[in-house]
Structure formats: structure tokens, C-alpha cells
Amino acid sequence: MDPQRIDALLGFLALADRLKTVERRGLVPLPDGTLRRENSAEHCWTIAVVALLLHREVAAETDLARVLSMLAVHDLVEVEAGDTYAYDPAGRATQVERELAAADIVFARLPPDLGPRLRALWEEFEAGETPEARFAMACDRTQGFLQNVLSGGRAWRDHGVALADTRPRMAPAEAVDPAFAALIGALYDRARQGGMFGEAPPA
């Protein structure tokens, strides 16, 4: 491997490592009973575990290696664009523009044979049109919901996220396969029983 390629790969890995510093609104329960913010790297790792667990539970045949590759890169743009909270309308209004600009920066750091390949995986995930992308999306949204349940719904309550607010986000994941519908349904049951949702904002 030539020195320029080594430098490019190490530089990109250093850039990707910054994902550990991107905080999400989701909270992680600690052994002492306190909560801390989840970071995007932890989020990506947990989604990969969800994918490994559910890959054989769904009816559609998917390429697991491609799914895991998509999950590994799907949030890399956040090192430049930051995380956009799923229930922040103002942030979501500019998310596409910000993340496209970030993708130009992030994937350009790779050698020319790798940058387009990783960007294509990111674009496939964002488009959500292939079986692998739909499965990856369902894993992503399931993990986010799970994180809220594990932390007792604190982020939902802090941001006034009502049960009804979560339905548009979770319905596409539930529609991917009955396995996702069953898992997400069980999480909804736990969230309702635990009084985890916030109050809907006044009309």
C-alpha cells in the first residue's frame, strides 16, 4: 500500500472516529441509575446488533453484508452535519441540505476507488428503495425507539413527544415485516404501560 493511500485511509478513520463525539437526544441508562446522552457511534453499533438478530426473522431475503455496510456509513455525515432529532421540525427542514453538503466533505476524504462506493451505500440508505435499505431503516428506527424505552422515555417527556408523534416515524418500520411490527408493538406496550410518552403540545 502506497504512503498516500495509507494517509488517506488513516485520515478517514480519524474523521469517522469523531462520530463518537456526536451526541444524540437518546439517553443511555447507567448502572448508578443516572442517564447520559447516547452518541452516534453507539447508535450505529446497536443497530448492527438489531440487524444481526432480525435478519433471519424477516421474510424478505436481504444481503446482510450490504445491510451492515449501510449501517456502518449511514450516519457518517453527522461528523459534519450533527445529529438531527427525529422530532425537531426545524432541524428536519434543513436536514437534507445539511447532510448532502456534509457528504461532499466526508466521502471526498477517501481514495477515489472508495469514496464513491461508500457514498453510494449512504445514498442507498437515504433513498430507502432496496430491500436492504428498507431493512436497515427499520433497524435504525427500532433502535431509536428501543433506546427511549430503555431510558424510561425521559427524552420523549423532555421534548413533549406524545405517542401520536411517534406513529409517522415508526409506521414505515412496522410495515417492513411482521417481525418488526411485533417487536415495535411490544415496545409501544411497554412505553404506554410505563407512562413514557410526553404531552402533546397545545393546539
Side-chain angles (χ1 to χ4, degrees):
M1 197 182 301
D2 70 70
Q4 276 192 320
R5 188 172 183 83
I6 290 171
D7 286 346
L9 293 177
L10 290 178
F12 185 80
L13 288 170
L15 179 75
D17 194 67
R18 286 168 46 197
L19 203 59
K20 297 173 185 175
T21 70
V22 177
E23 290 190 333
R24 295 167 52 82
R25 302 290 178 90
L27 298 168
V28 177
L30 300 177
D32 65 1
T34 61
L35 299 168
R36 68 161 174 83
R37 296 275 288 271
E38 177 190 34
N39 69 56
S40 287
E42 292 171 321
H43 164 69
C44 291
W45 172 78
T46 312
I47 302 170
V49 175
V50 173
L52 288 171
L53 293 177
L54 295 186
H55 180 242
R56 295 298 182 195
E57 300 290 333
V58 301
E61 287 290 328
T62 55
D63 180 343
L64 182 59
R66 190 165 190 85
V67 169
L68 294 175
S69 296
M70 265 190 276
L71 294 177
V73 305
H74 86 286
D75 274 345
L76 281 176
V77 296
E78 291 184 3
V79 300
E80 294 291 338
D83 178 63
T84 302
Y85 187 45
Y87 304 105
D88 173 13
R92 290 184 64 80
T94 63
Q95 182 177 7
V96 172
E97 180 182 356
R98 287 184 291 107
E99 291 189 352
L100 282 171
D104 290 341
I105 296 169
V106 170
F107 297 115
R109 295 285 299 273
L110 282 162
D113 61 313
L114 287 177
R117 188 192 315 171
L118 267 65
R119 180 164 186 149
L121 287 166
W122 174 75
E123 290 175 346
E124 181 179 350
F125 177 88
E126 291 297 314
E129 294 174 352
T130 64
E132 285 78 13
R134 288 191 293 273
F135 179 78
M137 173 275 295
C139 292
D140 180 34
R141 296 190 183 187
T142 299
Q143 189 278 336
F145 200 93
L146 169 66
Q147 196 65 52
N148 277 291
V149 172
L150 291 176
S151 57
R154 172 69 179 273
W156 282 331
R157 293 195 303 277
D158 285 353
H159 296 94
V161 177
L163 187 154
D165 298 324
T166 68
R167 288 298 192 189
R169 180 164 180 81
M170 299 311 298
E174 292 177 284
V176 166
D177 188 271
F180 281 106
L183 197 64
I184 293 167
L187 289 171
Y188 266 113
D189 288 343
R190 294 183 185 192
R192 280 192 296 261
Q193 290 164 9
M196 296 182 189
F197 294 105
E199 294 295 324

